[in-house]
Amino acid sequence: MQTRKSTEIRREQIVNIIRNIISSKGIQDVTINEIAIHMGTTKGAIYRHFKSKRDILNLLIKNIEETLMDVIDKSADNDPIQYLNNILLNQLTLAKNRRKTSLVVILGAMQFSDPSIKKKIAKTVEKYLCRIEEILSKAVQLKKVNSKINPKTSAIAFFGLIQSSITMWSYKKFNFVPKELHSQLWSIYHQGIDV
């Protein structure tokens, strides 16, 4: 059991290093050697966890997907509007606390990878958008939002609002107060979908 936990901790460290390398140097510098240097270990130690760069990028995509779905799950509320409001605040807070490069920056860098990576990226984004679209569809059914909104388009706008804000603030070393930014962003988004 201890070995497994150690492996999970090591993989989490590697994911964080990958994020840092992508945000500071670019996807081209995500190599086994670069990861080993950042971890202060040997390439052999990294190869115990991954066979290739593709395996490393797959782990990163899996981590991003788990994080996005976890934020949605932890934000749940019976009121779909409050649910979206919670997701927005929780994603901004997570970005600030974890100082993570935005999903858009990471996935954008990975777009130049092989086709299997592109496919996983597309599935991750689609899964997220479907979850947000479901919440918006419920809001339409309950007459909590304008009945003329397109839930799919509104989900894309929601995703873009969050990711572009995190991207902007990541370049400013996350120097923002999540609740203040949330209030401003929520006001804009809510006005757009309001009844």
Side-chain angles (χ1 to χ4, degrees):
M1 188 68 165
Q2 182 63 24
T3 305
R4 181 179 182 147
K5 186 173 182 182
S6 178
T7 298
E8 289 173 15
I9 290 169
R10 179 64 75 185
R11 284 179 171 255
E12 183 65 29
Q13 290 171 333
I14 291 169
V15 164
N16 289 331
I17 287 170
I18 295 166
R19 287 176 182 265
N20 290 334
I21 293 169
I22 289 172
S23 65
S24 64
K25 296 182 176 186
I27 191 76
Q28 70 281 356
D29 284 336
V30 176
T31 63
I32 299 291
N33 188 54
E34 190 71 21
I35 293 167
I37 290 168
H38 277 78
M39 289 189 75
T41 191
T42 65
K43 290 193 295 187
I46 304 300
Y47 277 116
R48 274 185 246 144
H49 300 282
F50 306 99
K51 295 177 194 166
S52 66
K53 184 173 181 175
R54 180 185 291 168
D55 288 347
I56 292 168
L57 296 178
N58 281 328
L59 176 68
L60 181 58
I61 294 167
K62 180 181 175 196
N63 177 269
I64 290 169
E65 181 178 331
E66 288 171 355
T67 300
L68 287 172
M69 296 307 119
D70 191 47
V71 166
I72 291 172
D73 293 341
K74 288 182 177 178
S75 302
D77 194 284
N78 289 332
D79 178 351
I81 299 303
Q82 187 58 48
Y83 195 177
L84 289 170
N85 193 351
N86 293 347
I87 292 169
L88 176 60
L89 178 58
N90 291 337
Q91 284 201 269
L92 294 172
T93 302
L94 179 70
K96 171 80 174 184
N97 292 342
R98 292 176 69 188
R99 296 191 173 277
K100 298 292 184 189
T101 302
S102 78
L103 169 68
V104 169
V105 171
I106 291 170
L107 297 183
M110 290 170 42
Q111 283 294 335
F112 301 105
S113 296
D114 66 51
S116 70
I117 296 295
K118 285 183 181 181
K119 195 174 200 176
K120 287 186 186 222
I121 292 168
K123 284 184 180 181
T124 297
V125 172
E126 276 302 312
K127 185 175 180 180
Y128 178 86
L129 290 173
C130 284
R131 295 279 307 269
I132 301 302
E133 184 180 348
E134 288 170 9
I135 297 166
L136 285 160
S137 292
K138 183 178 178 184
V140 169
Q141 290 172 346
L142 295 173
K143 298 182 181 2
K144 296 263 185 179
V145 296
N146 186 327
S147 62
K148 294 179 182 176
I149 70 155
N150 179 314
K152 186 177 197 98
T153 304
S154 297
I156 292 168
F158 185 78
F159 177 74
L161 184 73
I162 293 169
Q163 293 304 318
S164 60
S165 298
I166 293 170
T167 299
M168 182 185 78
W169 288 106
S170 71
Y171 295 130
K172 295 183 178 195
K173 307 290 186 215
F174 293 91
N175 187 19
F176 72 97
V177 177
K179 285 189 178 185
E180 289 176 12
L181 181 59
H182 163 264
S183 176
Q184 295 164 10
L185 293 174
W186 180 251
S187 176
I188 292 166
Y189 186 77
H190 193 250
Q191 285 175 25
I193 63 170
D194 205 5
V195 177

